[in-house]
Amino acid sequence: MIGTAFVQGVGTSSFGRQPGVGAPLLAQQAVGEALADAGVDDVRDIDAVFAGTVFGAPGTAQRMLQLLGVTGVPVLTFENACATSTTALHEARQSVLSGRFERVLCLGVETMTLHFAGPITPEHTDAEGRAGLALPGVYAMVASRYEHLYGLEPKALAAVAVKNRRHGALNPRAQHGAEVTAEQVLASRMVADPLTLLQCCDISDAATAAVIGRGRGVDRDVPIAASALRSGELWDHRSTHPWGYELMARVAGEAWHEAGIGPGDVDLFEVHDAFTIGEITATEALGIAEPGGGGDLVLSGHTALGGRQPVNPSGGLLSRGHPLGATGLAQIAEAVWQLRGEAGQRQVEGARIAAVETMGGGTAGIDGNGCVVVVLGG
Amino acid sequence: MSTTDQTTEPVDDPRPGFTDGPDGGSVTGWRCTACRHPVAQLVLYCPVCRSPVAESAFAPTGEVWASTCLRVRVPGRTPPFAVAYLVLDDGPRVLVHTQGDHPQPPGSRARVTGVADTGDLVAEPEQEELS
Ligand SMILES: [Zn+2]
């Protein structure tokens, strides 16, 4: 067993609706940047590739990799809904720790505009997808249940969107980099009550990459202090919590335990804000706020840049965009840049420890397809 | 992801069914013969304890657990349409469609009345009984 695995380099393409670009060129951008960042000049120093895509065709990873000259090594492709590429990273870390591979290239890619003209259409082999419950509806149901349990003010939901857009305005790669006001958020078109358009992430085309390897005495390498992955338990008539809460809380608990720290020790978070309510429940599940306290948390400024524990300094999914299979490694990239002090105008001063949470869904009857929590730095 | 056929296909339709009856009908599903766990999807055995399941008819009444109204385009449906999770009184939680564009509030009572042309369970607010 190796003691610690490190993120040696990260890279991303730009984010946005870029149907003319295609996965191979997006991957060239992301992987090229990650390899240069890691100081890996020779692709023969990559021992395996752990790729992730949700809607990509069979062979998507190999099709991209041949244009990068990455051939001959084992290539594994993961699908875990929105948590796809953080799942790849979780597994890459385990492979490095176990000694199976010395260095793994993780790669996430999604070209959503090739598959969808508008929002993701629900899966018709799924009991609730077949009944028309599109993803905004899944999260709207979270908001409905949350409101029933704790109360939920529209201004708290709006505050998440306003904060993350403000952060994203400082991120040159963000898909939606313009700031918005709470009034604009609440006045935007209703998508699924109570979630308005500016509370929903956009579909996006992008690729993201990270190089995971053993310690090599390089200061810029960022240690992975902990990583946890689970799928949801049965979520049925016995459940009282909104969808995903218990899964996120369980996975977060495992990550804190492995890292030997608690949420109060973390300097910044990148969490799954596909919809505003998702950030509110995630901050509670991670333990930054008590159950029912996520709205007050964001309204207090605690999670804004300049606050004590910024959440989604990158702009999150709401601002950066949500290319499903590429999102997890985009969160990891932001955490790595922050911990190295390379985050430019959105730098969290003195950041030493970061946590990333990705939540994937779309399967009726369970509390989530998969959730990953990664703790970096220390 | 790309289907165009959203009509009812009995063999592969994963949604719960409904049977009309003199007492207002029932939601059809399965119940574990050992631990009594109710399931609204076709199963071969209980997902909780793996004991045999038997076909079961659940009372159509229950309490709304959460709800929303979708106002975006979803294939095969015309927005806006309201949906709710309904926890049946003696059975599983099912996803139902409700009338109009005002979601039925959590905590309120509802009754499944049948299946729409789209194949979805349909529910309406339960009338309070006069006594
Ligand atoms: Zn059972």
Side-chain angles (χ1 to χ4, degrees):
Chain A
M1 282 293 290
I2 311 296
T4 306
F6 291 77
V7 182
Q8 298 179 340
V10 291
T12 80
S13 69
S14 53
F15 292 75
R17 296 185 181 219
Q18 33 192 349
V21 181
L25 290 190
L26 292 170
Q28 280 205 329
Q29 291 176 37
V31 173
E33 183 172 278
L35 292 176
D37 191 41
V40 175
D41 300 324
D42 188 343
V43 292
R44 284 171 297 186
D45 292 334
I46 299 293
D47 302 314
V49 179
F50 286 12
T53 181
V54 178
F55 297 108
T60 290
Q62 286 85 347
R63 213 165 281 122
M64 297 184 297
L65 291 166
Q66 52 143 332
L67 295 177
L68 296 157
V70 180
T71 53
V73 296
V75 175
L76 308 182
T77 299
F78 294 84
E79 186 277 305
N80 205 9
C82 306
T84 286
S85 59
T86 19
T87 298
L89 176 117
H90 175 84
E91 292 302 315
R93 174 193 182 228
Q94 294 298 330
S95 285
V96 169
L97 290 178
S98 72
R100 182 182 178 197
F101 298 120
E102 201 166 315
R103 181 179 282 126
V104 178
L105 171 65
C106 292
L107 169 59
V109 69
E110 213 69 67
T111 50
M112 296 179 73
T113 55
L114 284 182
H115 301 283
F116 304 105
I120 299 172
T121 53
E123 171 57 42
H124 103 139
T125 59
D126 185 85
E128 292 176 358
R130 185 71 156 260
L133 189 64
L135 277 165
V138 172
Y139 276 91
M141 292 280 223
V142 171
S144 167
R145 184 65 188 173
Y146 185 98
E147 201 275 337
H148 181 67
L149 291 176
Y150 307 115
L152 176 62
E153 294 182 87
K155 70 177 182 184
L157 292 172
V160 174
V162 170
K163 168 180 72 71
N164 291 353
R165 286 294 198 100
R166 189 185 308 136
H167 293 175
L170 304 174
N171 183 350
R173 294 185 186 182
Q175 182 168 3
H176 294 291
E179 291 196 41
V180 293
T181 66
E183 291 71 26
Q184 287 172 319
V185 172
L186 294 176
S188 61
R189 181 164 59 83
M190 188 64 78
V191 169
D193 308 19
L195 304 176
T196 56
L197 184 65
L198 289 175
Q199 301 186 50
C200 307
C201 62
D202 199 353
I203 66 168
S204 186
D205 305 313
T208 51
V211 178
I212 311 303
R214 297 177 183 174
R216 53 180 182 169
V218 172
D219 283 348
R220 294 179 76 251
D221 290 358
V222 171
I224 304 174
S227 175
L229 160 68
R230 279 187 183 276
S231 60
E233 302 282 344
L234 292 175
W235 189 65
D236 53 33
H237 58 286
R238 299 167 297 177
S239 304
T240 57
H241 286 286
W243 175 81
Y245 175 81
E246 287 163 299
L247 173 60
M248 291 189 287
R250 182 175 184 189
V251 173
E254 291 178 359
W256 301 143
H257 179 77
E258 189 195 354
I261 62 168
D265 301 314
V266 178
D267 298 308
L268 67 110
F269 297 83
E270 283 283 309
V271 310
H272 198 75
D273 62 330
F275 301 87
T276 49
I277 185 64
E279 178 170 312
I280 289 176
T281 55
T283 53
E284 295 173 16
L286 287 162
I288 315 170
E290 295 294 311
D296 286 343
L297 183 78
V298 65
L299 288 168
S300 75
H302 183 101
T303 56
L305 277 172
R308 197 178 94 58
Q309 293 183 295
V311 172
N312 288 323
S314 68
L317 284 56
L318 286 169
S319 177
R320 186 181 51 231
H322 185 23
L324 268 69
T327 282
L329 289 175
Q331 297 174 301
I332 295 289
E334 176 71 12
V336 166
W337 291 327
Q338 290 282 354
L339 294 173
R340 288 181 183 157
E342 297 173 354
Q345 285 186 287
R346 60 185 192 283
Q347 180 65 45
V348 175
E349 288 306 318
R352 289 182 53 252
I353 300 174
V356 167
E357 177 266 341
T358 330
M359 176 71 186
T363 298
I366 54 172
D367 198 27
N369 294 26
C371 179
V372 178
V373 174
V374 182
V375 181
L376 297 152
Chain B
M1 208 190 327
S2 60
T3 182
T4 53
D5 182 6
Q6 292 285 338
T7 59
T8 305
E9 294 166 3
V11 175
D12 77 342
D13 192 333
R15 291 171 293 187
F18 185 84
T19 304
D20 287 316
D23 300 328
S26 53
V27 176
T28 54
W30 290 262
R31 189 184 286 282
C32 177
T33 57
C35 78
R36 310 300 296 158
H37 182 75
V39 188
Q41 285 190 65
L42 178 61
V43 288
L44 296 176
Y45 47 80
C46 173
V48 174
C49 73
R50 285 195 283 177
S51 297
V53 290
E55 285 187 15
S56 186
F58 306 114
T61 52
E63 184 178 310
V64 173
W65 193 87
S67 59
T68 186
C69 178
L70 280 141
R71 300 172 193 274
V72 282
R73 242 174 341 111
V74 177
R77 288 183 177 70
T78 307
F81 59 94
V83 294
Y85 281 126
L86 182 63
V87 180
L88 298 177
D89 290 328
D90 65 348
R93 190 178 65 196
V94 291
L95 182 70
V96 297
H97 285 239
T98 59
Q99 290 294 312
D101 65 351
H102 288 289
Q104 218 185 302
S108 65
R109 300 280 306 169
R111 167 185 290 271
V112 179
T113 56
V115 175
D117 292 343
T118 51
D120 303 320
L121 286 184
V122 175
E124 59 185 37
E126 194 176 16
Q127 303 300 320
E128 284 192 28
E129 286 188 22
L130 301 169
S131 57

